Each structure stands twice: as C-alpha cells, then as structure tokens.
Amino acid sequence: MLQYADGTLVWKFKTMGHPHAIQGQIQSSPVAVDSIIYIGSLDYNLYAIDARTGKEKWHYYMADNPAYSTPAYREGMLYYGTYGFHNPRVYALNTKGEKQWAFRRELESIKPDEGFRIGSWDNEKYGFTASPVIAGNRMYIGSWDNHLYIFDLDRGELIGKYAAPKAIGAAAAVGNGVVYFGCYDGSIYALSGE
C-alpha cells in the first residue's frame, strides 16, 4: 500500500493467491525501476505492477516455489531466487516477464527451451530466501544448502560457490572487492569478490 503523508491511500494491489501457498503473502521487498514495481510473493509469482496506478503489468509463475527473495535489477534484467520443495531456482527475467535463464541448485544452468530435470527429495528441499546482490557482472546469492553462489551475469551461468558451515538466509553486501555475508553459524564472512 502506498500512502501520502496525510494517510490517503493511493492504491492497493492484491496478489492472486494459490491453494498451496500462504494466501499470497508477501515477504519480498519491492524494487522500483522506471515506474514499475517488481515484487515476489509466496503465491509462486513475481509481479510487475504500475507504480502510478497499482495495475498489474504481468506476473511470472515460478513452478510451485514461493519468492521470499527481493529481486535485483541490472541492465534490463531481474534476478531472484525461490524457496520450496519443488525445484527451487535462481531466475533471470527481462522486464517483459520473459525468462532468459534459470539455475537449479544441482549445479546446472538451464536455458528456457531445455526443460528441467527432476532431482532427489533432498536436493528439492533447499532453496534461496536470500536476496541476490550484484557487483559489476557478478551476482552473489546465499542458499539454505550452506553455499554462497556466484554467477557471471554476462554469460548467465554459475562460476563458483563457497561452502559455509550453515545456511545463508540473508543478502550479502559487496564493497571494495569484498563480499560480506552472515551465516546461521553465528559468524560473518568476508570473501574476495575476485
């Protein structure tokens, strides 16, 4: 909901909801780019909403996975992760809502026309609640499988990952060539971003 200082409601947008989701709740933060709001929902959709009118521009259905992650924006592309028991992924969409690529936790980069492999139950149950952070052409995103994933955005592929002792559930930060992230082991880590 957007309000003026006097409390006047400008608009309200209601998610579609989903029978297997938590009533379409939103735990993602919005990202505003060129008068469009992009936000993920627990109803398994990423929404693009006109910031002036509150009308939906489009939504992208994420294969039965909720989005806790806040999208990151770079050069006409949106990046975010999903969490759940149904093939959690990292997605790259353009601002028209078209998937450019998706990464599955099983160290594979999947182009839109290749489809998805079905993995084991153990591989399905971990995903991404952390929001991605972008520095240059690299993106860093933590996962509940105890890894920080590193992507090359120009190539749209995974280029490395760092194994942490426990899950990484929150966004990293990048400064002066160093990546900083918190971990469920109670520690903060600083890694070279090169």
Side-chain angles (χ1 to χ4, degrees):
M1 288 187 287
L2 179 64
Q3 293 183 332
Y4 289 118
D6 65 1
T8 304
L9 178 66
V10 177
W11 56 259
K12 175 183 176 180
F13 176 83
K14 180 73 173 165
T15 62
M16 293 187 299
H18 190 284
H20 303 297
I22 309 172
Q23 301 302 311
Q25 291 178 0
I26 295 175
Q27 295 189 26
S28 169
S29 296
V31 171
V33 180
D34 297 330
S35 299
I36 305 293
I37 302 295
Y38 301 99
I39 191 165
S41 171
L42 300 194
D43 71 357
Y44 313 150
N45 289 291
L46 181 82
Y47 292 94
I49 303 162
D50 188 305
R52 294 160 295 205
T53 66
K55 302 293 184 190
E56 179 181 316
K57 304 286 280 183
W58 52 261
H59 67 270
Y60 182 82
Y61 180 70
M62 301 173 291
D64 286 335
N65 287 289
Y68 293 84
S69 172
T70 296
Y73 174 84
R74 175 186 181 257
E75 298 177 359
M77 293 289 295
L78 299 160
Y79 304 92
Y80 62 97
T82 63
Y83 181 87
F85 292 91
H86 303 284
N87 306 317
R89 292 171 165 73
V90 174
Y91 285 96
L93 304 181
N94 64 24
T95 53
K96 296 178 182 178
E98 301 164 334
K99 181 175 70 177
Q100 303 303 295
W101 56 264
F103 168 79
R104 200 152 151 228
R105 221 185 56 66
E106 293 183 316
L107 297 180
E108 64 181 322
S109 186
I110 305 170
K111 299 300 180 188
D113 58 343
E114 292 178 343
F116 299 116
R117 284 197 318 228
I118 298 174
S120 72
W121 182 255
D122 284 342
N123 285 333
E124 304 296 305
K125 70 181 178 179
Y126 296 108
F128 303 89
T129 58
S131 299
V133 62
I134 295 173
N137 71 331
R138 290 191 177 180
M139 180 177 73
Y140 306 89
I141 185 169
S143 174
W144 282 81
D145 73 348
N146 306 352
H147 287 86
L148 180 76
Y149 288 84
I150 306 163
F151 292 87
D152 182 311
L153 297 183
D154 293 335
R155 298 194 312 246
E157 62 187 37
L158 181 74
I159 58 173
K161 63 179 185 171
Y162 175 80
K166 299 251 182 190
I168 304 167
V174 180
N176 299 318
V178 178
V179 182
Y180 306 92
F181 67 92
C183 179
Y184 270 60
D185 71 344
S187 300
I188 297 173
Y189 292 81
L191 303 179
S192 169
E194 298 302 318

